[in-house]
Amino acid sequence: MTGPAPTRLDKSDVLAGLFACWDGLDKLLGGLTDQQWSQPVPLPGWSVHDVVAHIVGTESMLLGMPTPQSDLEVSALEHVRNGVGANNECWVRHLRDESGTDLLARFRSVTDRRRAVLAGLSDEDWNAPTVTPVGPDSYGRFMRVRVFDCWMHELDIRDGLGLPASGAELAGPAARHALDEMAAAMGRVVGKLGGAPQGSRVALELTGPLARTIRVAVEGRAQVVDDFGGQAPTAVIRMDGVAFTRAAGGRAAPRAVDLDGDREVAARIVEHLNFVI
């Protein structure tokens, strides 16, 4: 496998985030009514039940289970855009007739098995290069992507149920790792999608419980940086952290955004925040 060296991430820290995601989902889903399981979420064609089926399917595939056959050509569905989406849809349709109670039991079973596998991984296997949804990288990076995916889907479910997360529920390693994964994509968002010119220094200032600042410098290739070396940003985008995650994930249009500096560049970046395929 060629390319940049695989990302090395602390195994115990990432797994704490992933397991916290699964614990949060378990707590959220326990006791839902049939009507709540069938509530639509901000993902086209999917309900709360479908989101959980997708998570179950992904973790099942990571345990080596084959993708089930579908009763129709899922790639023809409007919201299916690639092979990963087609596999997801196969699992969603395969599990659609299960009751919420049975699906939750399946979720608990498959995540318990995954916990055991992940906890037993050696450091060598954790850092080994593999194929991930974001390209070739370490297995540890893949698991941080799983934190991002599961955490975003908890927010999808909360949106569908009208149960927004509290500040306390947004605290902890799950949200931190999810935002770390999203921050890693901001170089592409700012430079390629947003077209920020050379010499740009863009600061995305997130407010609220998910407060942090993501800095991107465009020097050759746009890259996320820790600081601008004492220089002021040329463009600033300021918005609530949860709203940022929903916009970047294509779930909702950006809202309540403040722009400073080069407003034209900042506005163009906001228009292209959605980087999730």
Side-chain angles (χ1 to χ4, degrees):
M1 185 175 297
T2 60
T7 306
R8 297 179 69 90
L9 298 169
D10 183 88
K11 176 187 169 186
S12 61
D13 192 29
V14 174
L15 292 187
L18 184 57
F19 297 167
C21 276
W22 293 343
D23 291 340
L25 282 164
D26 193 325
K27 181 179 179 181
L28 178 61
L29 297 169
L32 292 186
T33 65
D34 290 343
Q35 181 179 3
Q36 287 175 312
W37 276 102
S38 64
Q39 283 294 111
V41 299
L43 300 171
W46 278 15
S47 64
V48 170
H49 187 286
D50 295 334
V51 170
V52 179
H54 156 57
I55 296 172
V56 167
T58 301
E59 299 305 331
S60 295
M61 287 190 293
L62 289 171
L63 286 170
M65 299 181 193
T67 301
Q69 295 294 314
S70 176
D71 56 348
L72 56 74
E73 183 54 56
V74 294
S75 60
L77 297 173
E78 185 177 354
H79 61 275
V80 175
R81 302 178 183 177
N82 51 39
V84 172
N87 286 339
N88 293 341
E89 199 67 29
C90 285
W91 279 101
V92 167
R93 298 190 66 82
H94 177 68
L95 298 173
R96 190 160 275 169
D97 291 336
E98 285 200 353
S99 69
T101 299
D102 288 345
L103 184 62
L104 180 55
R106 188 186 289 267
F107 169 82
R108 288 168 173 165
S109 175
V110 75
T111 53
D112 281 349
R113 292 172 63 189
R114 284 286 290 150
R115 288 175 200 258
V117 169
L118 290 167
L121 278 181
S122 66
D123 288 342
E124 182 180 5
D125 288 339
W126 178 259
N127 293 314
T130 189
V131 177
T132 85
V134 292
D137 210 319
S138 65
Y139 191 81
R141 172 77 186 281
F142 191 177
M143 291 307 98
R144 191 175 75 177
V145 175
R146 294 300 307 133
V147 179
F148 159 75
D149 188 62
C150 292
W151 185 80
M152 286 287 283
H153 285 318
E154 179 180 338
L155 295 190
D156 291 330
I157 292 169
R158 288 184 173 281
D159 285 351
L161 298 175
L163 297 172
S166 66
E169 288 167 331
L170 290 170
R176 172 166 53 82
H177 284 300
L179 276 174
D180 285 348
E181 189 57 43
M182 299 183 85
M186 288 302 107
R188 175 173 173 266
V189 169
V190 169
K192 184 175 181 179
L193 302 182
Q198 287 296 311
S200 296
R201 296 181 297 278
V202 178
L204 293 99
E205 297 182 356
L206 308 185
T207 62
L210 300 181
R212 69 163 63 186
T213 299
I214 303 169
R215 299 173 179 86
V216 179
V218 185
E219 297 175 357
R221 182 178 179 182
Q223 295 187 40
V224 177
V225 296
D226 293 332
D227 58 65
F228 293 135
Q231 294 182 289
T234 59
V236 177
I237 300 165
R238 190 175 297 108
M239 62 190 301
D240 174 75
V242 174
F244 165 80
T245 68
R246 307 318 278 155
R251 272 65 167 183
R255 56 182 176 81
V257 182
D258 293 328
L259 307 178
D260 285 327
D262 189 332
R263 293 172 179 267
E264 181 178 349
V265 168
R268 193 164 61 241
I269 293 167
V270 170
E271 290 175 2
H272 293 86
L273 270 181
N274 176 14
F275 71 93
V276 177
I277 300 175

